[in-house]
Structures are given as C-alpha cells and as structure tokens.
Amino acid sequence: VAVWAYDLLHVSPNVDAAVLRLYRDVVGPYWPPERSLVETGYGTLEFPFDEIEAPPFAMEKSWTLPELVGYVRTWSATRRFVESTGEDAVLRVEEELGRAWGRPAARRTVRWEIDLRVGRVRTG
C-alpha cells in the first residue's frame, strides 16, 4: 500500500515566505482539522503494514505568477475564507508575492516535495 501527500510549494525563499503567510496566517483558520494529516505526511496515522523506505519524489511545474496565484485560489481554505469574509484572501499577500516573483510573466520552477508512506501486508 502507498499513501502520499504533497507539501506546500517551494519557489524561492521570498516567494515561499509570502505563500506560507497566506497558507498559515491568512487562510490558516479555514483549513479543516484533518489538514494536519497532510502536513505530517500521514506520519501520525497508525500504519498497520511493514513499512518500506521510499525514495524521495517531487512534482515540478514551470509557472508564471498568474498561474501560481490561480493555484492558491483553488485551495479549499482560500475558498472557505472567501465564502466566510467575502474577501479575496490572495489580495492580502499579492504585493509581497509580486515583489518576490518579479516580472509576472517570468517562468519559475514550482516544486512540491512528496510525502510517501509505503508498506506491505504483515505476514504471520
């Protein structure tokens, strides 16, 4: 069996800081409690299998700033924030994100580390 989740994205220290501020400080209260399972890579769940060491995996995309902004607007917490407040949460970090990114049309590598737990059914 394999269970996986992906971490918060990484681009550069300044972009990452703006995204983390959005994730934690702006929309943080709007994440469902079970989001903590993803944040720990399912490491807090009982795993009734013989665990197998998994190699590191990551996903990467080449995005512009508008593509990144479009993505963070799809987060469930971002949508819940909008439903609750009527405000676009991304606007709270838009200026900071823009300064960190630079030219909006510039392409940057966006990377998500994959948290992976792999196991086999226990024998005996």
Side-chain angles (χ1 to χ4, degrees), residues 9 15 17-28 30-31 64-83 85-99 101:
L9 63 89
V15 170
V19 170
L20 181 60
R21 195 163 77 73
L22 174 66
Y23 178 87
R24 184 188 54 217
D25 301 337
V26 178
V27 301
Y30 296 87
W31 288 108
T64 62
L65 179 57
E67 289 170 313
L68 173 68
V69 167
Y71 166 72
V72 298
R73 281 190 170 117
T74 69
W75 291 349
S76 62
T78 305
R79 291 193 319 270
R80 283 188 189 95
F81 180 95
V82 171
E83 291 167 4
T85 68
E87 179 187 345
D88 181 352
V90 178
L91 295 179
R92 292 198 182 180
V93 298
E94 184 176 48
E95 187 177 316
E96 178 184 0
L97 200 50
R99 278 193 314 273
W101 193 275

Side-chain angles (χ1 to χ4, degrees), residues 10-11 59-68 101 104-112:
H10 297 285
V11 177
M59 299 183 298
E60 289 187 350
K61 295 291 284 182
S62 175
W63 275 353
T64 62
L65 179 57
E67 289 170 313
L68 173 68
W101 193 275
R107 292 208 162 269
R108 294 178 171 263
T109 300
V110 180
R111 181 179 176 90
W112 297 262

